[in-house]
Amino acid sequence: MLQPRQYSISCAPNGKYYRISVKKEISTNHPEGMISNRLHDYIQEGEIIDLSAPAGVFVLKENSNTKVFISGGIGQTPLLSMLEALISKDNVSTNLVWIHGCRNEQVHAFKDRLTEINKQQINVKQFLFYDEVEEEESHIQQGWVDLSNLAHDVLELEADYYICGPAGFIQKHHDYLIERGVANSHIHFEEFGPASLQLS
């Protein structure tokens, strides 16, 4: 079966393997994911599939600026790779902010891994937004990701901002940052889905 798809690497570079994270899509209202479901249903450990080399321009900037990661849904996969790369360095002193929004705790991919990182790394601040909140927790807000609620914690003109999610999600947060004086050169984004955004 030849059906090209692009998946983000979701782990830090390690010289041993690449990890992609693929959600199995089962839906009665929309077409099910052709390749994502095939990976789950037919591809077994040890099988060989054709891959091209990793490519793209959504990459981590090597500097000491504060890094702010903003994701919606499965948009967190490339950001997790960046976060893990940063914390894997000895004595990392860069301030890191993780902001993520999704429907609820049940569909929050990598929740346990991110909780572990948050506990181990004193330089990481984590903020979560769930559409549906079952339990009140100090770091979980109900609703969509809203940077204005976190301005005191995240707004820093020299920080590097990495945004990943659907087009509307990116547009909203890009515009908010620009309106508050963040230079466009400090805002980096990758759209999940067909690329349609032209932001400058």
Side-chain angles (χ1 to χ4, degrees):
M1 180 178 192
L2 181 61
Q3 187 68 44
R5 287 291 189 274
Q6 291 79 42
Y7 292 101
S8 298
I9 295 172
S10 62
C11 64
N14 56 52
K16 298 178 181 178
Y17 61 83
Y18 297 122
R19 181 181 72 197
I20 63 172
S21 303
V22 183
K23 179 182 178 183
K24 183 173 182 178
E25 289 289 357
I26 300 175
S27 174
T28 56
N29 300 324
H30 305 286
E32 295 182 356
M34 179 187 296
I35 301 303
S36 58
N37 283 355
R38 187 170 185 84
L39 288 173
H40 281 274
D41 295 337
Y42 296 101
I43 305 301
Q44 304 299 319
E45 184 175 346
E47 291 194 42
I48 297 175
I49 60 176
D50 290 327
L51 299 175
S52 60
V57 297
F58 188 57
V59 295
L60 187 64
K61 305 298 180 186
E62 295 292 337
N63 57 41
S64 59
N65 293 351
T66 294
K67 303 289 188 282
V68 181
F69 301 107
I70 308 166
S71 59
I74 200 61
Q76 68 181 337
T77 50
L79 303 186
L80 181 61
S81 173
M82 296 178 187
L83 179 64
E84 287 192 343
L86 286 167
I87 65 173
S88 68
K89 297 179 180 179
D90 292 335
N91 301 318
V92 60
S93 58
T94 303
N95 290 323
L96 307 171
V97 181
W98 183 267
I99 304 167
H100 178 67
C102 60
R103 191 165 65 250
N104 55 43
E105 183 179 18
Q106 286 68 45
V107 299
H108 186 178
F110 301 111
K111 181 178 184 292
D112 292 343
R113 173 61 177 140
L114 290 161
T115 299
E116 176 188 7
I117 290 172
N118 201 48
K119 288 179 179 178
Q120 293 176 347
Q121 304 289 327
I122 61 173
N123 58 324
V124 177
K125 292 181 181 178
Q126 181 176 200
F127 302 94
L128 301 177
F129 291 77
Y130 291 167
D131 294 347
E132 306 160 0
V133 179
E134 295 180 1
E135 298 180 11
E136 288 201 16
E137 295 185 55
S138 60
H139 67 290
I140 298 177
Q141 298 187 42
Q142 186 163 15
W144 292 2
V145 173
D146 188 346
L147 296 185
S148 65
N149 290 354
L150 308 174
H152 177 74
D153 296 287
V154 306
L155 196 57
E156 184 179 323
L157 296 184
E158 295 305 313
D160 285 316
Y161 295 85
Y162 297 84
I163 312 172
C164 191
F169 180 90
I170 296 170
Q171 182 83 60
K172 172 186 175 183
H173 302 306
H174 175 274
D175 291 352
Y176 175 86
L177 293 170
I178 292 293
E179 288 168 4
R180 277 145 190 83
V182 177
N184 200 59
S185 60
H186 283 264
I187 305 173
H188 320 283
F189 66 89
E190 182 171 77
E191 189 176 350
F192 259 53
S196 62
L197 284 175
Q198 296 293 327
L199 303 177
S200 58

